[in-house]
Amino acid sequence: MTRVETFVRREDAERFIEEVRGDDPDLASYLRIENRELEAGGPI
C-alpha cells in the first residue's frame, strides 16, 4: 500500500522531509515538495 502525505503549509512539508532524511536518507531522496493551486467549490 502506498501512502501519500499532504501538507497545507510548506514549512510542515519541509520539516517532515528533514525528519525522514535523519531516519532514512535513501527514502528521503524520493520525496519532493510540489506547489499546487487550490480550487474552491466542488460537489456538495
Side-chain angles (χ1 to χ4, degrees):
M1 179 177 167
T2 301
R3 183 174 157 192
V4 176
E5 290 286 340
T6 303
F7 297 93
V8 174
R9 295 180 340 143
R10 182 178 186 90
E11 296 83 12
D12 294 336
E14 289 171 345
R15 187 177 314 114
F16 173 78
I17 290 175
E18 287 302 317
E19 289 176 13
V20 173
R21 281 189 183 132
D23 294 339
D24 190 344
D26 291 333
L27 175 62
S29 68
Y30 294 101
L31 302 177
R32 65 185 182 277
I33 296 174
E34 293 183 0
N35 293 319
R36 299 278 179 115
E37 290 290 325
L38 301 178
E39 296 181 17
I44 297 177

